[in-house]
Amino acid sequence: MRSGGLARHGDDLGRIEPGRLADLLVLDGDPTIDIGVLADRPPLAVLKGGQVVAGVLPGR
């Protein structure tokens, strides 16, 4: 079961695609390769509920 199903929001959460809700950090690097990217540089953007709440999405 995906996290959205566990939270009883299965239709809105758990996937990254148009029309769904998302809490995301947009980083300049891959933290699965270099975890230091989280400590060395601030995120480019922060999304909460699919809306940008800090920073700017690249290309926008």
Side-chain angles (χ1 to χ4, degrees):
M1 180 176 279
R2 294 189 171 164
S3 60
L6 292 172
R8 297 178 190 224
H9 292 280
D11 293 336
D12 298 318
L13 304 175
R15 296 180 189 190
I16 300 171
E17 57 188 39
R20 298 198 183 252
L21 301 176
D23 294 345
L24 300 170
L25 291 176
V26 179
L27 305 171
D28 185 20
D30 184 346
T32 64
I33 295 172
D34 176 14
I35 193 68
V37 76
L38 292 168
D40 297 340
R41 299 180 289 270
L44 298 174
V46 178
L47 286 78
K48 181 168 178 57
Q51 300 296 313
V52 177
V53 296
V56 178
L57 288 175
R60 291 209 169 192

